[in-house]
Amino acid sequence: MTPTQFKIYQFVTEFIQQRSFAPSLKEIAVGIGISPTSLSLISRYLRVLERDGLLKIGKKGYRKTQLKHSAKMRLPLVGRIAAGAPIEAIPEADMIDMADLLRAEDLYVLEVKGDSMIEEGIWNGDKVICKRQNIAKENDIVVALIDDQNATLKRIHFPSRQEIILIPANKALKPQVYAANRVQVQGIFVALLRLHKRG
């Protein structure tokens, strides 16, 4: 998908989700910042998106365009999570659309802030897909809630029943040692979603 196709798809998706009907060709052009006279160009891009299975163009005009993906394939972006010093995970009203391969239940998305997991290939600004569960195995990468208020993404180690170590993937940072009753596992890292920035 080209950057322009992605902008059009994203604009159409957000427009339909907000208004329950599709935008006109002119509204799409204005919405993505190109000349409103470029309607044939917009039409061609929409046909490509239809060919790729992302949109369904209505027979009665572009106002009848529909999204091909199901609302069930949208995962909640529930907050930002520290990959440095722990920070508060604050719920946010946003959704991330996922491909058909992510059909499992209990998945959610967090945006990474910080650089403590860079040696795992997890960078600041990345989105991590996590499975909601409260049990982890040794060396899992987990969403750990510390003291009921601060969440962080780390690899987990259980040296004893009384102690939990959260291990960063950055040689410049040290493991964090906590009493076991201070740490709650809230999810397991499943996959990485790295999005190109818009604009």
Side-chain angles (χ1 to χ4, degrees):
M1 184 183 294
T2 68
T4 301
Q5 289 169 2
F6 177 76
K7 285 183 179 180
I8 291 173
Y9 175 69
Q10 191 170 44
F11 178 83
V12 171
T13 298
E14 292 175 356
F15 192 102
I16 292 174
Q17 288 171 350
Q18 292 171 5
R19 309 189 191 190
S20 300
F21 61 89
S24 67
L25 297 180
K26 184 176 180 180
E27 285 170 334
I28 295 172
V30 172
I32 68 168
I34 67 175
S35 171
T37 61
S38 304
L39 303 187
S40 61
L41 177 65
I42 298 296
S43 178
R44 286 199 302 272
Y45 278 130
L46 288 174
R47 292 298 175 185
V48 171
L49 292 170
E50 181 182 40
R51 182 199 66 196
D52 291 344
L54 296 171
L55 298 177
K56 181 179 179 181
I57 306 298
K59 293 182 179 179
K60 296 183 179 180
Y62 288 101
R63 284 283 190 195
K64 299 298 182 180
T65 297
Q66 298 176 353
L67 304 176
K68 291 293 288 291
H69 67 273
S70 166
K72 294 181 179 178
M73 296 312 303
R74 296 167 60 228
L75 300 180
L77 176 61
V78 298
R80 293 185 173 88
I81 186 166
I87 59 174
E88 184 179 0
I90 303 173
E92 297 183 1
D94 200 358
M95 302 296 289
I96 300 290
D97 290 322
M98 307 307 298
D100 288 344
L101 68 148
L102 292 176
R103 293 186 180 276
E105 296 180 356
D106 297 326
L107 296 181
Y108 61 95
V109 180
L110 290 168
E111 182 178 347
V112 174
K113 305 302 284 185
D115 60 2
S116 76
M117 297 302 288
I118 58 175
E119 290 166 18
E120 292 284 354
I122 302 173
W123 295 84
N124 181 54
D126 284 347
K127 310 294 190 299
V128 288
I129 301 167
C130 302
K131 179 177 173 60
R132 196 183 308 276
Q133 63 184 64
N134 56 17
I135 299 174
K137 300 189 299 292
E138 180 74 13
N139 287 324
D140 279 346
I141 296 177
V142 303
V143 177
L145 183 67
I146 303 165
D147 297 329
D148 292 322
Q149 58 182 349
N150 297 319
T152 188
L153 187 73
K154 296 289 185 293
R155 195 172 287 282
I156 196 166
H157 175 54
F158 304 98
S160 71
R161 293 185 175 216
Q162 292 77 37
E163 200 171 61
I164 286 176
I165 302 177
L166 301 177
I167 304 171
N170 184 332
K171 292 178 181 177
L173 302 174
K174 295 180 180 180
Q176 303 161 357
V177 182
Y178 297 96
N181 62 3
R182 295 181 59 195
V183 179
Q184 298 175 38
V185 173
Q186 294 199 318
I188 305 295
F189 170 76
V190 173
L192 177 69
L193 180 63
R194 181 168 292 148
L195 304 176
H196 292 287
K197 293 182 179 179
R198 298 176 64 184

